PDB file of all heavy atoms in Angstrom:
ATOM      1  N   MET A  52     -31.327  74.549  -1.988  1.00 95.00           N
ATOM      2  CA  MET A  52     -31.097  75.480  -3.090  1.00 95.00           C
ATOM      3  C   MET A  52     -32.429  75.882  -3.737  1.00 95.00           C
ATOM      4  O   MET A  52     -32.640  77.048  -4.082  1.00 95.00           O
ATOM      5  CB  MET A  52     -30.169  74.837  -4.130  1.00 95.00           C
ATOM      6  CG  MET A  52     -29.477  75.813  -5.007  1.00 95.00           C
ATOM      7  SD  MET A  52     -28.101  75.162  -5.982  1.00 95.00           S
ATOM      8  CE  MET A  52     -28.428  73.460  -6.192  1.00 95.00           C
ATOM      9  N   SER A  53     -33.346  74.933  -3.874  1.00 94.00           N
ATOM     10  CA  SER A  53     -34.660  75.233  -4.448  1.00 94.00           C
ATOM     11  C   SER A  53     -35.471  76.121  -3.516  1.00 94.00           C
ATOM     12  O   SER A  53     -36.213  76.995  -3.973  1.00 94.00           O
ATOM     13  CB  SER A  53     -35.417  73.938  -4.722  1.00 94.00           C
ATOM     14  OG  SER A  53     -34.712  73.154  -5.641  1.00 94.00           O
ATOM     15  N   LEU A  54     -35.345  75.907  -2.214  1.00 94.00           N
ATOM     16  CA  LEU A  54     -36.035  76.776  -1.259  1.00 94.00           C
ATOM     17  C   LEU A  54     -35.499  78.198  -1.316  1.00 94.00           C
ATOM     18  O   LEU A  54     -36.268  79.162  -1.204  1.00 94.00           O
ATOM     19  CB  LEU A  54     -35.902  76.223   0.166  1.00 94.00           C
ATOM     20  CG  LEU A  54     -36.796  75.045   0.518  1.00 94.00           C
ATOM     21  CD1 LEU A  54     -36.373  74.433   1.849  1.00 94.00           C
ATOM     22  CD2 LEU A  54     -38.249  75.475   0.560  1.00 94.00           C
ATOM     23  N   ARG A  55     -34.202  78.348  -1.506  1.00 93.00           N
ATOM     24  CA  ARG A  55     -33.629  79.693  -1.649  1.00 93.00           C
ATOM     25  C   ARG A  55     -34.167  80.378  -2.898  1.00 93.00           C
ATOM     26  O   ARG A  55     -34.487  81.565  -2.873  1.00 93.00           O
ATOM     27  CB  ARG A  55     -32.107  79.608  -1.709  1.00 93.00           C
ATOM     28  CG  ARG A  55     -31.487  79.226  -0.379  1.00 93.00           C
ATOM     29  CD  ARG A  55     -30.012  79.066  -0.458  1.00 93.00           C
ATOM     30  NE  ARG A  55     -29.396  80.389  -0.608  1.00 93.00           N
ATOM     31  CZ  ARG A  55     -28.109  80.570  -0.790  1.00 93.00           C
ATOM     32  NH1 ARG A  55     -27.292  79.539  -0.867  1.00 93.00           N
ATOM     33  NH2 ARG A  55     -27.620  81.785  -0.900  1.00 93.00           N
ATOM     34  N   SER A  56     -34.275  79.615  -3.980  1.00 93.00           N
ATOM     35  CA  SER A  56     -34.822  80.184  -5.217  1.00 93.00           C
ATOM     36  C   SER A  56     -36.296  80.566  -5.036  1.00 93.00           C
ATOM     37  O   SER A  56     -36.731  81.630  -5.495  1.00 93.00           O
ATOM     38  CB  SER A  56     -34.662  79.174  -6.355  1.00 93.00           C
ATOM     39  OG  SER A  56     -35.227  79.666  -7.530  1.00 93.00           O
ATOM     40  N   ALA A  57     -37.057  79.697  -4.369  1.00 92.00           N
ATOM     41  CA  ALA A  57     -38.465  80.002  -4.125  1.00 92.00           C
ATOM     42  C   ALA A  57     -38.602  81.206  -3.200  1.00 92.00           C
ATOM     43  O   ALA A  57     -39.536  82.004  -3.346  1.00 92.00           O
ATOM     44  CB  ALA A  57     -39.157  78.787  -3.515  1.00 92.00           C
ATOM     45  N   ASP A  58     -37.666  81.372  -2.270  1.00 92.00           N
ATOM     46  CA  ASP A  58     -37.712  82.516  -1.365  1.00 92.00           C
ATOM     47  C   ASP A  58     -37.482  83.825  -2.117  1.00 92.00           C
ATOM     48  O   ASP A  58     -38.089  84.840  -1.801  1.00 92.00           O
ATOM     49  CB  ASP A  58     -36.676  82.347  -0.251  1.00 92.00           C
ATOM     50  CG  ASP A  58     -36.866  83.334   0.876  1.00 92.00           C
ATOM     51  OD1 ASP A  58     -38.030  83.645   1.198  1.00 92.00           O
ATOM     52  OD2 ASP A  58     -35.854  83.788   1.439  1.00 92.00           O
ATOM     53  N   ILE A  59     -36.627  83.782  -3.117  1.00 91.00           N
ATOM     54  CA  ILE A  59     -36.400  84.983  -3.939  1.00 91.00           C
ATOM     55  C   ILE A  59     -37.673  85.362  -4.682  1.00 91.00           C
ATOM     56  O   ILE A  59     -38.056  86.538  -4.745  1.00 91.00           O
ATOM     57  CB  ILE A  59     -35.226  84.754  -4.912  1.00 91.00           C
ATOM     58  CG1 ILE A  59     -33.924  84.637  -4.119  1.00 91.00           C
ATOM     59  CG2 ILE A  59     -35.142  85.867  -5.939  1.00 91.00           C
ATOM     60  CD1 ILE A  59     -32.744  84.161  -4.941  1.00 91.00           C
ATOM     61  N   GLU A  60     -38.371  84.352  -5.220  1.00 90.00           N
ATOM     62  CA  GLU A  60     -39.638  84.616  -5.908  1.00 90.00           C
ATOM     63  C   GLU A  60     -40.691  85.147  -4.945  1.00 90.00           C
ATOM     64  O   GLU A  60     -41.442  86.071  -5.272  1.00 90.00           O
ATOM     65  CB  GLU A  60     -40.151  83.339  -6.572  1.00 90.00           C
ATOM     66  CG  GLU A  60     -39.344  82.885  -7.759  1.00 90.00           C
ATOM     67  CD  GLU A  60     -39.915  81.621  -8.370  1.00 90.00           C
ATOM     68  OE1 GLU A  60     -41.150  81.426  -8.307  1.00 90.00           O
ATOM     69  OE2 GLU A  60     -39.118  80.833  -8.911  1.00 90.00           O
ATOM     70  N   MET A  61     -40.752  84.560  -3.747  1.00 89.00           N
ATOM     71  CA  MET A  61     -41.741  84.994  -2.756  1.00 89.00           C
ATOM     72  C   MET A  61     -41.417  86.394  -2.227  1.00 89.00           C
ATOM     73  O   MET A  61     -42.324  87.164  -1.918  1.00 89.00           O
ATOM     74  CB  MET A  61     -41.799  83.996  -1.590  1.00 89.00           C
ATOM     75  CG  MET A  61     -42.181  82.586  -1.970  1.00 89.00           C
ATOM     76  SD  MET A  61     -43.890  82.388  -2.402  1.00 89.00           S
ATOM     77  CE  MET A  61     -44.620  82.292  -0.799  1.00 89.00           C
ATOM     78  N   TYR A  62     -40.134  86.728  -2.135  1.00 88.00           N
ATOM     79  CA  TYR A  62     -39.726  88.056  -1.672  1.00 88.00           C
ATOM     80  C   TYR A  62     -40.219  89.130  -2.633  1.00 88.00           C
ATOM     81  O   TYR A  62     -40.619  90.221  -2.205  1.00 88.00           O
ATOM     82  CB  TYR A  62     -38.201  88.108  -1.533  1.00 88.00           C
ATOM     83  CG  TYR A  62     -37.676  89.446  -1.090  1.00 88.00           C
ATOM     84  CD1 TYR A  62     -37.866  89.888   0.216  1.00 88.00           C
ATOM     85  CD2 TYR A  62     -37.003  90.276  -1.978  1.00 88.00           C
ATOM     86  CE1 TYR A  62     -37.385  91.115   0.628  1.00 88.00           C
ATOM     87  CE2 TYR A  62     -36.521  91.512  -1.568  1.00 88.00           C
ATOM     88  CZ  TYR A  62     -36.715  91.919  -0.264  1.00 88.00           C
ATOM     89  OH  TYR A  62     -36.244  93.141   0.147  1.00 88.00           O
ATOM     90  N   ALA A  63     -40.216  88.818  -3.916  1.00 87.00           N
ATOM     91  CA  ALA A  63     -40.712  89.776  -4.906  1.00 87.00           C
ATOM     92  C   ALA A  63     -42.203  90.036  -4.718  1.00 87.00           C
ATOM     93  O   ALA A  63     -42.700  91.099  -5.090  1.00 87.00           O
ATOM     94  CB  ALA A  63     -40.440  89.261  -6.312  1.00 87.00           C
ATOM     95  N   GLN A  64     -42.921  89.072  -4.132  1.00 87.00           N
ATOM     96  CA  GLN A  64     -44.355  89.230  -3.882  1.00 87.00           C
ATOM     97  C   GLN A  64     -44.629  89.761  -2.467  1.00 87.00           C
ATOM     98  O   GLN A  64     -45.778  89.901  -2.063  1.00 87.00           O
ATOM     99  CB  GLN A  64     -45.067  87.880  -4.037  1.00 87.00           C
ATOM    100  CG  GLN A  64     -44.912  87.276  -5.411  1.00 87.00           C
ATOM    101  CD  GLN A  64     -45.388  85.825  -5.444  1.00 87.00           C
ATOM    102  OE1 GLN A  64     -45.805  85.273  -4.440  1.00 87.00           O
ATOM    103  NE2 GLN A  64     -45.314  85.219  -6.608  1.00 87.00           N
ATOM    104  N   GLY A  65     -43.572  90.036  -1.714  1.00 86.00           N
ATOM    105  CA  GLY A  65     -43.740  90.536  -0.358  1.00 86.00           C
ATOM    106  C   GLY A  65     -44.011  89.436   0.659  1.00 86.00           C
ATOM    107  O   GLY A  65     -44.536  89.705   1.735  1.00 86.00           O
ATOM    108  N   LYS A  66     -43.671  88.190   0.329  1.00 88.00           N
ATOM    109  CA  LYS A  66     -43.902  87.050   1.220  1.00 88.00           C
ATOM    110  C   LYS A  66     -42.580  86.352   1.506  1.00 88.00           C
ATOM    111  O   LYS A  66     -41.544  86.716   0.970  1.00 88.00           O
ATOM    112  CB  LYS A  66     -44.848  86.041   0.557  1.00 88.00           C
ATOM    113  CG  LYS A  66     -46.204  86.572   0.191  1.00 88.00           C
ATOM    114  CD  LYS A  66     -47.000  85.479  -0.473  1.00 88.00           C
ATOM    115  CE  LYS A  66     -48.356  85.949  -0.943  1.00 88.00           C
ATOM    116  NZ  LYS A  66     -49.088  84.869  -1.627  1.00 88.00           N
ATOM    117  N   THR A  67     -42.658  85.324   2.352  1.00 89.00           N
ATOM    118  CA  THR A  67     -41.506  84.458   2.604  1.00 89.00           C
ATOM    119  C   THR A  67     -41.930  83.008   2.446  1.00 89.00           C
ATOM    120  O   THR A  67     -43.123  82.700   2.372  1.00 89.00           O
ATOM    121  CB  THR A  67     -40.940  84.652   4.028  1.00 89.00           C
ATOM    122  OG1 THR A  67     -41.920  84.232   4.973  1.00 89.00           O
ATOM    123  CG2 THR A  67     -40.540  86.091   4.275  1.00 89.00           C
ATOM    124  N   ILE A  68     -40.952  82.125   2.416  1.00 92.00           N
ATOM    125  CA  ILE A  68     -41.255  80.697   2.296  1.00 92.00           C
ATOM    126  C   ILE A  68     -41.659  80.096   3.633  1.00 92.00           C
ATOM    127  O   ILE A  68     -42.200  78.998   3.685  1.00 92.00           O
ATOM    128  CB  ILE A  68     -40.047  79.919   1.735  1.00 92.00           C
ATOM    129  CG1 ILE A  68     -38.824  80.108   2.617  1.00 92.00           C
ATOM    130  CG2 ILE A  68     -39.775  80.291   0.300  1.00 92.00           C
ATOM    131  CD1 ILE A  68     -37.646  79.225   2.266  1.00 92.00           C
ATOM    132  N   LYS A  84     -43.333  75.060  -5.970  1.00 89.00           N
ATOM    133  CA  LYS A  84     -42.170  75.710  -6.585  1.00 89.00           C
ATOM    134  C   LYS A  84     -40.909  74.885  -6.391  1.00 89.00           C
ATOM    135  O   LYS A  84     -40.075  74.787  -7.292  1.00 89.00           O
ATOM    136  CB  LYS A  84     -41.979  77.113  -6.004  1.00 89.00           C
ATOM    137  CG  LYS A  84     -43.069  78.074  -6.415  1.00 89.00           C
ATOM    138  CD  LYS A  84     -42.875  79.438  -5.813  1.00 89.00           C
ATOM    139  CE  LYS A  84     -44.034  80.328  -6.229  1.00 89.00           C
ATOM    140  NZ  LYS A  84     -43.879  81.690  -5.809  1.00 89.00           N
ATOM    141  N   TYR A 100     -36.051  80.268  10.336  1.00 93.00           N
ATOM    142  CA  TYR A 100     -35.963  81.208   9.212  1.00 93.00           C
ATOM    143  C   TYR A 100     -35.669  82.587   9.774  1.00 93.00           C
ATOM    144  O   TYR A 100     -36.308  83.027  10.737  1.00 93.00           O
ATOM    145  CB  TYR A 100     -37.274  81.212   8.428  1.00 93.00           C
ATOM    146  CG  TYR A 100     -37.251  82.084   7.197  1.00 93.00           C
ATOM    147  CD1 TYR A 100     -36.704  81.615   6.017  1.00 93.00           C
ATOM    148  CD2 TYR A 100     -37.774  83.358   7.233  1.00 93.00           C
ATOM    149  CE1 TYR A 100     -36.677  82.418   4.890  1.00 93.00           C
ATOM    150  CE2 TYR A 100     -37.754  84.165   6.114  1.00 93.00           C
ATOM    151  CZ  TYR A 100     -37.202  83.685   4.941  1.00 93.00           C
ATOM    152  OH  TYR A 100     -37.178  84.477   3.830  1.00 93.00           O
ATOM    153  N   HIS A 105     -33.998  87.362   5.240  1.00 87.00           N
ATOM    154  CA  HIS A 105     -34.697  86.470   4.309  1.00 87.00           C
ATOM    155  C   HIS A 105     -33.810  85.272   3.966  1.00 87.00           C
ATOM    156  O   HIS A 105     -33.506  85.004   2.819  1.00 87.00           O
ATOM    157  CB  HIS A 105     -35.130  87.214   3.037  1.00 87.00           C
ATOM    158  CG  HIS A 105     -36.261  88.138   3.276  1.00 87.00           C
ATOM    159  ND1 HIS A 105     -37.554  87.712   3.325  1.00 87.00           N
ATOM    160  CD2 HIS A 105     -36.278  89.472   3.524  1.00 87.00           C
ATOM    161  CE1 HIS A 105     -38.341  88.732   3.573  1.00 87.00           C
ATOM    162  NE2 HIS A 105     -37.594  89.822   3.698  1.00 87.00           N
TER     163      HIS A 105
END
Side-chain angles (χ1 to χ4, degrees):
M52 201 166 26
S53 299
L54 283 169
R55 289 177 72 184
S56 177
D58 192 36
I59 292 169
E60 290 180 31
M61 300 288 280
Y62 179 72
Q64 300 169 359
K66 300 179 183 178
T67 65
I68 58 171
K84 291 179 182 186
Y100 184 82
H105 287 279

